[in-house]
């Protein structure tokens, strides 16, 4: 997977899961090594500050205007809650948190009106989940943590996800939790696909709320120390994450949760790990990109060469057929030459034989003619006859020779 | 040379021909003449061909001193004595064949180890077998035999560019091959029947060969010269004088075809001090024709005799192919022209080589020799069963043409013999009428149980033709367990020119020829073998003893059986 794709996926994730915007913007993996390093160290040093950084989040015109006018800091927990659920406040500055912590005397939140307002604005319990994440971040302020936990518990219990098992899982003060995550998920698992009040189609807000309730339950246990981080991840993997779309599935979610749930030491290690991980990822991605480029280049070259080979093959076949036809022609020519040679030999032998026979026949005739002339008295008639016949025959042969 | 070649192993001359590039090439000797079929044994030396012939001073054939002329005629004898030395005729033939083959190899690159060999029409099976062995000794396998006149005709027809048209044109036509060579005169009447060239009849003479005529001319010249000189006493001659006079006589014979008269002059002919030692005689054409008239008349008479025997008039002959050295004599040419007319007479210019060329073309075309006439078994009563049909392809080297074995019954075993009579129709071809005349080929007789009922004893009958064109017949009785066999050597063959003649040789349905037919030639034995159990085939008197009810008049028994019953 290319870095771009990775980036894209992360962005999609940001869009789909609003609660992770600030984290993903802060820990967005980048193909740039230094960039990823930077993000890793930032994640390690100032998580909360990072969460406040919103410059990378898409900002509307109104929000820009609001930012220009300095935001009023909350003076009480109630105010903070109102702001948290009503505006886009997502963090609690440390000094304010400390002041809240000191002022808290009662660990139960009794202002039901505020709770009702909060619930109205947060049907999906998304903000509730974020609040839980935030209070875990303020573990060093136990009073504030306790109070906000109580707020979260009451919000969940009062929400539309009002299954009995939820009440068992989040018991009111003085009661013991008697449910486990599996039962909770099973009950949700059954209900996730159940139609909402509007009709046959499941209500997506309710489904989201149930997921958030389950997530809060798991996080609750993690925070209480009843669940290891590994088990927490496994639980999420087997539950919420399994219901996510492929594009929603990303390690960033885990990283996000990890970053808000781990203490400073662990963050350091995790940051180093992430740093190493991003380095490795970058390297691998670069290598992958290089390999893909090489592969494309190779494929291109291969196709070019294959086409070239095909062309050459065709040429070879043409040449082969030409060679074959030439060979046949050569064979035919050779055969013709052989036959012609035999015919010429035959003609020559015939001619030679004729001439030889004529000479062989006429030589004794001439010898006899000579003998006839040598007789006393010379046998002129015989000599004339023999010479005449011999000459006739030789003339015939000469004529034949000239003709041929 | 590649493949099979043609070999004309003639009485007078021998010659190899092969086809290359559409031309038939004959491998003649250094004088461009065929190799004389003459061999001379001088001590350990074997002299073959022209050099051996030059030592001969006579036209006689056979063994002359240490010289053997025309050894082909000696085949069939177990051994002969050449100047007191016992020799196998096959080895004498092999000496000539080997010489001709080696000369061919010397002249042309090639192996020359498989040949189609010409044979005279009258060469029997045993001679064919021995000829094959002689060739094998000389390093040649005989792929196929071909009769000389058929080879001559094939060579003549094959020289036409439109060979197939010529064959078509001559379909059903009669042809005469007139081969008047140095040794013999051979006449063969042929017919083209459905693409198969077959011999109808043949005739010939050994007394009118060219050598005999040359000798007559020579003797006449000597006697007339002596008469002109007034010499009455016998004068001895020089050693080579006879041969020189023969040469002069032959030359005079040729020159007289263009001249009215020639001088015959042979110096130093006689060994004498008293008279002129030279022969000097003026020979006129009329004189020459008078000298040879008897021989020419005899030769021409053979033509008429052959045609009369075949009941054919000369006008029925479509082609007379005249070959051999003698046919160039003006008197013979004119006589042939008188009989056949110039249109139908073809005097081959390649008289010396045409037979060999024909064999070469047969080898090249792989033309098959086929059986010319049906081979029939006479089955009782008066019916012919064609065991091997005309047109059946004859086996080549290493092949055996077998017919199916016949299972027969003995219809009348009272005399204790089953008689198998083999016949052949006189008319060639596959289409034969039951009324056609037949020639008896041979009879096999074997013992059967004379006490048995009709059709009780089973008989086996087998026929096969081997590569030497010999028909082997064998018969066996299964109760008496007697057997006999015979060989028939005088089968007649044709040459398949188109390759369209069926070669199945399968048996024809007996029912189709079952009807009793008239027999025009006399049958000495009453055949008693049949293919089917039919009471109508049993003699009446014999059948009556086993089945009297058969003769009840209400059953309408055949008349001839009723008559036989009275015996």
């Amino acid at each position: 997977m290319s870095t771009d794709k990775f980036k894209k996926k992360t962005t999609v994730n940001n869009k789909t899961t609003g609660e992770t915007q600030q984290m993903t913007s802060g820990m967005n993996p980048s193909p740039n090594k230094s960039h990823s390093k930077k993000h890793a160290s930032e994640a390690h040093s100032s998580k909360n500050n990072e969460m406040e950084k919103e410059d990378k989040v898409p900002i509307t015109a109104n929000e820009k205007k609001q930012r220009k006018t300095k935001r009023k800091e909350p003076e009480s927990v109630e105010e903070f809650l109102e702001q948290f659920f009503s505006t886009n406040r997502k963090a609690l500055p440390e000094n304010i948190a400390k002041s809240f912590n000191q002022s808290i005397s009662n660990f139960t939140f009794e202002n039901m009106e505020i709770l009702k307002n909060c619930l109205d604005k947060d049907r999906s319990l998304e903000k509730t989940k974020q609040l839980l994440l935030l209070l875990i971040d303020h573990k060093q302020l136990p009073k504030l943590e306790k109070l906000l936990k109580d707020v979260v518990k009451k919000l969940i219990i009062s929400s539309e996800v009002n299954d009995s098992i939820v009440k068992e899982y989040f018991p009111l003060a003085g009661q013991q939790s008697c449910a486990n995550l599996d039962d909770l998920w099973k009950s949700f698992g059954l209900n996730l696909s159940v139609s909402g009040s509007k009709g046959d189609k499941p209500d997506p807000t309710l489904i989201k709320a149930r997921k958030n309730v389950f997530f809060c339950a798991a996080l609750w246990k993690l925070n209480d120390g009843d669940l290891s981080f590994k088990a927490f991840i496994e639980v999420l993997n087997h539950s919420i994450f399994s219901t996510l779309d492929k594009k929603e599935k990303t390690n960033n979610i885990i990283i996000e949760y990890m970053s808000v749930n781990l203490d400073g030491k662990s963050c350091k290690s995790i940051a180093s790990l992430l740093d190493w991980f991003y380095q490795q990822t970058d390297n691998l991605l670069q290598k992958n990109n290089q390999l893909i480029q090489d592969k494309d280049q190779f494929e291109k070259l291969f196709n070019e060469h294959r086409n070239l080979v095909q062309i050459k093959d065709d040429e070879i076949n043409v040449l082969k057929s030409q060679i074959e036809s030439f060979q046949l022609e050569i064979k035919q020519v050779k055969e013709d030459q052989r036959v012609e040679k035999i015919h010429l030999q035959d003609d020559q032998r015939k001619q030679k034989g004729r001439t030889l026979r004529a000479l062989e026949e006429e030589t004794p005739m001439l010898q006899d003619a000579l003998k006839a002339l040598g007789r006393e008295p010379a046998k002129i008639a015989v000599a004339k006859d023999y010479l005449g016949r011999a000459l006739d025959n030789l003339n015939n042969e000469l004529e034949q020779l000239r003709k041929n | 040379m590649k493949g099979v070649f043609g070999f004309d192993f003639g009485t007078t001359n021998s010659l190899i021909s092969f086809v290359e590039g559409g031309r038939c090439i004959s491998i003649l000797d250094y004088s461009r003449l065929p190799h004389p079929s003459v061999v001379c044994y001088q001590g350990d030396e074997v002299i073959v061909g022209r050099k051996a012939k030059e030592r001969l001073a006579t036209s006689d054939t056979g063994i002359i001193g240490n010289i053997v002329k025309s050894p082909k005629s000696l085949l069939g004898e177990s051994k002969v004595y050449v100047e007191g030395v016992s020799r196998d005729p096959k080895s004498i033939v092999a000496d000539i064949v080997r010489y001709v083959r080696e000369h061919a190899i010397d002249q042309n690159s090639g192996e020359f180890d498989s040949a189609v060999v010409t044979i005279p029409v009258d060469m029997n099976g045993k001679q064919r077998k021995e000829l094959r062995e002689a060739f094998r000794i000389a390093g040649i396998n005989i792929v196929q035999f071909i009769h000389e006149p058929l080879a001559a005709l094939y060579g003549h027809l094959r020289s036409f560019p439109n060979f197939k048209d010529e064959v078509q044109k001559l379909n059903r036509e009669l042809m005469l091959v007139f081969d008047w060579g140095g040794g013999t005169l051979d006449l063969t009447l042929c017919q083209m029947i459905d693409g198969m060239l077959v011999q109808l009849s043949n005739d010939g003479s050994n007394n009118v060969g060219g050598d005999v005529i040359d000798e007559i001319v020579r003797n006449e010249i000597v006697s007339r010269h002596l008469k002109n000189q007034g010499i009455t006493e016998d004068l001895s001659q020089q050693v080579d004088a006879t041969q020189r006079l023969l040469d002069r006589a032959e030359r005079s014979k040729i020159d007289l075809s263009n001249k009215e008269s020639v001088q015959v002059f042979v110096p130093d002919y006689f060994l004498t001090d008293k008279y002129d030692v030279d022969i000097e005689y003026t020979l006129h054409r009329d004189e020459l024709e008078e000298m040879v008239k008897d021989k020419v008349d005899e030769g021409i008479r053979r033509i008429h005799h052959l045609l009369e025997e075949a009941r054919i008039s000369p006008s029925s002959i479509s082609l007379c192919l005249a070959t051999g050295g003698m046919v160039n004599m003006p008197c013979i040419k004119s006589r042939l022209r008188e009989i056949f007319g110039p249109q139908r007479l073809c005097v081959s210019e390649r008289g010396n080589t045409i037979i060999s060329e024909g064999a070469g073309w047969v080898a090249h075309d792989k033309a098959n020799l086929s059986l010319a006439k049906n081979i029939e078994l006479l089955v009782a009563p008066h019916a012919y069963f064609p065991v091997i049909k005309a047109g059946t392809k004859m086996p080549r080297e290493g092949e055996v043409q077998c017919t199916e074995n016949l299972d027969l019954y003995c219809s009348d075993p009272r005399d204790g013999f089953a008689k198998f009579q083999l016949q052949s129709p006189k008319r060639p071809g596959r289409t034969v009428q039951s009324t056609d005349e037949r020639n008896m080929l041979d009879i096999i007789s074997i013992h059967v149980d004379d006490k048995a009922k009709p059709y009780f004893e089973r008989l086996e009958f087998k026929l096969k033709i081997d590569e030497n064109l010999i028909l082997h017949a064998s018969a066996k009785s299964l109760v008496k367990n007697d057997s006999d066999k015979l060989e028939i050597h005088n089968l007649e063959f044709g040459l398949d020119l188109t390759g369209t003649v069926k070669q199945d040789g399968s048996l024809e349905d007996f029912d189709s020829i079952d009807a009793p037919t008239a027999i025009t030639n006399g049958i000495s034995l009453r055949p008693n073998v049949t293919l089917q159990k039919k009471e109508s085939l049993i003699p009446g008197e014999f059948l009556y003893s086993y089945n009297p009810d058969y003769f009840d008049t209400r059953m309408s028994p055949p008349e001839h059986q009723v008559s036989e019953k009275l015996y």
Side-chain angles (χ1 to χ4, degrees):
Chain A
M1 190 171 67
S2 69
T3 312
D4 292 340
K5 283 179 186 173
F6 192 86
K7 244 178 172 176
K8 196 178 175 183
K9 211 165 192 180
T10 314
T11 316
V12 169
N13 190 45
N14 288 345
K15 283 177 184 172
T16 51
T17 54
E19 82 278 11
T20 59
Q21 273 181 2
Q22 65 204 31
M23 293 307 296
T24 45
S25 63
M27 303 185 73
N28 191 18
S30 161
N32 190 315
K33 196 176 169 182
S34 56
H35 195 196
S36 62
K37 265 185 180 178
K38 184 185 163 195
H39 282 293
S41 59
E42 280 169 2
H44 151 67
S45 59
S46 54
K47 289 173 288 177
N48 295 329
N49 291 341
E50 266 183 0
M51 289 170 76
E52 285 175 356
K53 283 178 186 172
E54 291 168 356
D55 55 333
K56 286 182 185 173
V57 179
I59 300 162
T60 61
N62 286 337
E63 281 172 343
K64 277 181 183 173
K65 212 174 179 181
Q66 280 174 3
R67 276 185 190 183
K68 277 179 186 175
T69 57
K70 202 179 175 184
R71 189 160 49 190
K72 189 191 171 189
E73 294 298 342
E75 289 174 358
S76 65
V77 173
E78 285 80 0
E79 266 186 45
F80 166 71
L81 286 173
E82 271 181 352
Q83 283 182 10
F84 188 81
F85 281 92
S86 307
T87 65
N88 61 346
R89 177 176 284 281
K90 286 171 185 167
L92 183 62
E94 208 166 338
N95 52 347
I96 298 170
K98 276 179 184 173
S99 67
F100 285 174
N101 192 49
Q102 284 169 2
S103 64
I104 291 168
S105 56
N106 186 8
F107 300 137
T108 55
F109 192 81
E110 300 296 346
N111 193 338
M112 294 311 288
E113 197 176 336
I114 290 174
L115 287 176
K116 195 171 174 285
N117 285 338
C118 292
L119 263 179
D120 289 344
K121 287 167 187 164
D122 187 26
R123 271 188 70 216
S124 65
L125 300 178
E126 194 63 40
K127 286 279 180 183
T128 311
K129 186 177 80 181
Q130 283 182 25
L131 185 66
L132 184 61
L133 287 167
L134 190 67
L135 70 90
I136 288 167
D137 205 25
H138 293 286
K139 245 182 170 178
Q140 70 278 20
L141 307 170
K143 289 178 186 170
L144 180 65
E145 189 203 354
K146 252 186 177 177
L147 180 68
L148 290 179
K149 272 177 96 172
D150 187 56
V151 172
V152 168
K153 193 194 290 177
K154 281 176 177 164
L155 284 171
I156 288 171
I157 291 165
S158 310
S159 70
E160 289 177 51
V161 189
N162 56 357
D163 294 358
S164 57
I165 196 161
V166 175
K167 284 172 185 167
E168 283 172 24
Y169 200 88
F170 296 98
L172 293 171
Q175 291 176 344
Q176 272 291 322
S177 170
C178 57
N180 62 40
L181 285 170
D182 284 346
D183 296 336
L184 184 67
W185 179 250
K186 275 175 192 168
S187 76
F188 284 167
L190 286 171
N191 294 333
L192 279 174
S193 58
V194 170
S195 307
S197 56
K198 286 180 181 174
D200 291 338
K201 284 184 182 173
D203 183 0
T205 313
L206 185 60
I207 289 168
K208 199 170 179 185
R210 280 177 179 154
K211 283 182 186 176
N212 285 334
V213 167
F214 183 78
F215 183 83
C216 289
L219 197 60
W220 199 285
K221 283 213 163 192
L222 176 70
N223 194 42
D224 288 351
D226 295 340
L227 205 64
S228 68
F229 185 73
K230 192 183 167 191
F232 168 73
I233 298 299
E234 277 175 9
V235 165
L236 293 185
N237 270 337
H238 288 108
S239 54
I240 298 172
F241 294 164
S242 65
T243 66
L244 295 176
D245 291 340
K246 263 190 180 173
K247 56 186 181 183
E248 289 176 308
K249 251 186 192 176
T250 166
N251 290 334
N252 278 346
I253 297 170
I254 301 167
I255 291 163
E256 178 187 328
Y257 295 136
M258 279 165 62
S259 64
V260 296
N261 286 290
L262 296 176
D263 56 19
K265 257 188 180 175
S266 301
C267 281
K268 212 171 190 177
S269 309
I270 293 297
S272 306
L273 187 67
L274 284 171
D275 189 32
W276 175 83
F277 168 75
Y278 281 122
Q279 278 180 30
Q280 294 302 316
T281 309
D282 285 347
N283 288 342
L284 286 172
L285 287 169
Q286 276 177 3
K287 279 181 186 171
N288 188 36
N289 281 342
Q290 190 59 44
L291 281 172
I292 287 165
Q293 279 177 10
D294 289 351
K295 185 185 154 238
D296 290 345
Q297 211 166 358
F298 171 76
E299 274 179 358
K300 197 178 163 188
L301 270 172
F302 176 75
N303 287 335
E304 278 173 11
H305 282 103
R306 193 170 55 186
N307 291 338
L308 212 66
V309 167
Q310 186 62 46
I311 290 163
K312 293 292 171 196
D313 272 351
D314 292 345
E315 282 174 13
I316 286 167
N317 285 337
V318 170
L319 288 171
K320 265 184 185 173
S321 63
Q322 278 177 351
I323 287 168
E324 275 172 16
S325 64
F326 283 143
Q327 277 174 339
L328 281 173
E329 271 178 41
I330 289 166
K331 203 176 167 187
Q332 188 58 48
V333 168
K334 273 185 182 174
E335 180 63 18
D336 290 348
Q337 280 178 343
R338 190 185 68 81
V339 169
E340 199 181 336
K341 189 183 163 191
I342 291 170
H343 287 184
L344 285 170
Q345 271 180 350
D346 186 49
D347 291 341
Q348 189 202 15
R349 279 183 199 145
K350 272 182 187 163
Q351 196 55 58
K352 188 181 166 187
R354 264 185 80 94
T355 311
L356 200 68
R357 203 163 65 237
L359 292 173
E360 276 176 353
E361 278 175 6
E362 300 319 320
T363 307
M365 291 283 283
L366 294 173
Q367 281 173 344
D368 287 356
L370 201 63
K371 278 187 183 173
L373 288 172
R375 294 287 188 247
E376 281 297 333
K379 296 177 176 176
I380 304 293
V382 170
K384 271 177 80 176
D385 181 71
Y386 268 40
L387 286 171
R389 284 157 65 189
L391 276 172
D392 284 349
N393 206 10
L394 288 171
N395 278 330
N396 283 340
E397 284 307 315
L398 272 172
E399 198 64 35
Q400 284 293 329
L401 269 175
R402 282 193 195 105
K403 273 184 189 172
N404 295 329
Chain B
M1 202 286 297
K2 293 187 281 188
V4 185
F5 61 96
F7 197 120
D8 174 23
F9 183 55
T11 313
T12 315
N13 295 310
S14 295
L15 182 62
I16 279 177
S17 294
F18 63 92
V19 176
E20 195 73 78
R23 185 200 282 198
C24 196
I25 294 163
S26 297
I27 307 170
L28 300 160
D29 74 358
Y30 299 107
S31 306
R32 295 306 299 167
L33 290 168
H35 301 278
S37 302
V38 183
V39 58
C40 172
Y41 296 97
Q42 193 173 314
D44 291 340
E45 200 183 354
V46 180
I47 302 157
V48 186
R50 193 151 306 281
K51 283 181 184 169
K53 191 191 174 188
E54 282 168 1
R55 294 167 183 243
L56 272 175
T58 172
S59 64
D60 293 347
T61 58
I63 302 162
I64 308 139
N66 63 344
I67 296 171
V68 183
K69 189 182 175 189
S70 310
K72 189 165 72 173
S73 56
L74 302 175
L75 286 171
E77 294 178 33
S78 57
K79 58 183 174 183
V80 294
Y81 290 92
V82 182
E83 218 173 30
V85 179
S86 170
R87 289 184 187 274
D88 183 354
K90 284 182 288 193
S91 70
I92 299 171
V93 170
D95 285 334
I96 294 176
V97 172
R98 192 181 297 113
Y99 173 80
V100 176
R101 177 176 179 248
E102 282 170 2
H103 179 258
I105 292 169
D106 187 45
Q107 292 283 300
N108 292 271
S109 58
E111 292 176 346
F112 293 95
D113 53 6
S114 297
V116 169
V117 176
T118 62
I119 49 170
V121 175
D122 58 354
M123 185 179 246
N124 64 34
K126 190 183 177 190
Q127 288 172 317
R128 289 196 290 262
K129 196 173 173 183
E130 291 195 354
L131 184 65
R132 184 182 290 278
E133 284 169 24
F135 268 73
R136 206 166 278 158
I137 292 167
I140 295 175
N141 295 319
I142 297 178
V143 173
Q144 188 181 323
F145 289 113
I146 175 81
H147 290 117
E148 286 163 358
L150 293 183
L153 257 181
Y154 194 77
H156 170 71
L157 294 172
R158 203 61 180 76
S159 63
F160 287 103
N162 49 347
F163 166 63
K164 283 188 179 174
D165 294 344
E166 285 296 320
V167 171
Q168 286 285 336
K169 219 186 284 176
L170 290 169
N171 195 29
R172 294 277 161 193
E173 300 292 336
L174 294 163
M175 290 160 274
L176 180 69
V177 180
F178 183 82
D179 179 15
W180 201 337
T184 57
L185 166 66
D186 295 309
L187 294 149
T188 311
L189 185 64
C190 300
Q191 190 178 16
M192 190 83 77
I193 301 172
D194 299 332
M196 185 165 65
L197 193 59
V198 294
Q199 302 160 78
L200 297 178
S201 57
N202 52 69
D203 202 309
S205 172
N206 296 326
N207 302 321
V208 293
D211 294 346
V212 175
I213 291 173
D214 285 346
E215 203 167 299
I216 289 168
V217 174
R218 185 195 70 184
N219 293 339
E220 275 295 317
I221 288 168
V222 172
S223 65
R224 289 183 190 201
H225 165 77
L226 291 174
K227 194 179 170 187
N228 285 350
Q229 297 292 322
I231 302 166
T232 52
E233 58 191 283
D234 284 341
L235 297 176
S236 49
Q237 299 156 4
Q238 292 278 5
V239 178
D240 61 340
T242 309
Q243 185 59 44
R244 283 191 288 129
L245 181 54
L246 269 175
D247 291 345
R248 288 291 152 269
E250 194 179 346
R251 173 65 188 269
S252 301
K253 208 171 69 184
I254 294 164
D255 288 349
L256 278 174
S257 57
N258 300 319
K259 289 174 173 283
E260 282 303 313
S261 67
V262 291
Q263 290 284 337
V264 181
F265 174 71
V266 183
D268 306 320
Y269 185 84
F270 297 112
L271 273 171
T272 177
D273 298 328
K274 203 173 165 186
Y275 304 106
D276 189 357
V277 292
D278 302 334
I279 281 188
E280 186 186 348
Y281 185 76
T282 304
L283 182 64
H284 294 270
R285 187 193 284 181
D286 297 343
E287 266 183 293
L288 177 68
E289 286 178 2
E290 188 199 324
M291 284 176 198
V292 299
K293 186 176 182 298
D294 289 348
K295 292 293 174 187
V296 171
D297 285 349
E298 194 182 331
I300 299 298
R301 258 202 314 274
R302 302 308 310 180
I303 296 173
H304 291 295
H305 179 256
L306 175 76
L307 296 178
E308 277 165 20
E309 281 282 302
R311 296 171 196 167
I312 291 167
S313 71
S315 60
S316 305
I317 302 292
S318 299
L319 170 70
C320 173
L321 177 65
T323 70
M326 287 298 292
V327 294
N328 285 313
M329 271 187 79
C331 61
I332 296 175
K333 247 187 206 174
S334 63
R335 295 287 293 275
L336 288 173
R337 219 174 274 138
E338 278 170 24
I339 300 168
F340 299 108
Q343 297 295 324
R344 291 179 290 143
L345 175 69
C346 176
V347 179
S348 175
E349 290 175 358
R350 298 165 289 132
N352 285 331
T353 60
I354 194 158
I355 294 174
S356 177
E357 284 178 15
W361 278 113
V362 167
H364 175 264
D365 296 347
K366 293 177 183 165
N368 288 312
L369 207 61
S370 304
L371 193 65
K373 297 172 179 176
N374 290 346
I375 295 169
E376 300 168 336
L377 179 68
L378 185 64
V379 289
H382 320 311
Y384 307 99
F385 179 77
V387 188
I388 306 177
K389 284 185 176 180
T392 301
K393 179 192 164 193
M394 287 298 102
R396 289 178 164 238
E397 192 193 21
E399 295 176 353
V400 173
Q401 178 73 45
C402 284
T403 67
E404 288 177 38
N405 298 339
L406 295 184
D407 289 323
L408 303 160
Y409 299 95
C410 184
S411 60
D412 181 10
R414 283 175 295 168
D415 61 354
F417 290 100
K419 287 143 280 190
F420 301 83
Q421 187 165 316
L422 286 168
Q423 293 189 317
S424 186
K426 283 192 173 176
R427 194 151 63 95
R430 291 170 71 90
T431 317
V432 187
Q433 301 298 317
S434 56
T435 51
D436 283 345
E437 284 186 43
R438 259 77 177 173
N439 287 326
M440 193 175 76
L441 295 171
D442 217 328
I443 293 176
I444 303 182
S445 174
I446 54 169
H447 288 285
V448 290
D449 184 2
D450 56 356
K451 300 288 185 291
K453 288 180 183 179
Y455 298 122
F456 176 76
E457 181 136 20
R458 302 289 293 272
L459 309 162
E460 278 182 2
F461 188 61
K462 292 177 185 175
L463 281 183
K464 68 177 181 183
I465 299 173
D466 69 11
E467 60 184 4
N468 295 311
L469 312 177
I470 299 168
L471 175 71
H472 301 265
S474 64
K476 189 181 177 185
S477 58
L478 299 183
V479 174
K480 202 70 178 175
N481 203 22
D482 186 28
S483 62
D484 199 4
K485 58 186 176 183
L486 59 82
E487 290 182 357
I488 298 171
H489 290 199
N490 56 341
L491 297 179
E492 292 178 54
F493 306 100
L495 189 65
D496 185 359
L497 299 195
T498 60
T500 54
V501 177
K502 274 193 177 178
Q503 297 169 358
D504 55 355
S506 55
L507 298 175
E508 196 172 292
D509 289 341
F510 182 67
D511 289 341
S512 63
I513 56 160
D514 194 30
T517 54
I519 299 185
T520 54
N521 57 342
I523 303 295
S524 56
L525 290 170
R526 176 176 180 151
N528 58 352
V529 292
T530 69
L531 282 156
Q532 290 175 322
K533 285 181 178 178
K534 277 189 176 179
E535 289 186 317
S536 60
L537 302 177
I538 305 170
E541 78 278 14
F542 186 43
L543 180 62
Y544 184 72
S545 60
Y546 287 96
N547 188 7
D549 295 342
Y550 180 81
F551 293 92
D552 189 329
T553 50
R554 286 170 296 179
M555 306 286 284
S556 306
E559 201 178 316
H560 74 277
Q561 280 181 313
V562 174
S563 306
E564 285 167 343
K565 171 186 164 273
L566 299 175
Y567 289 101

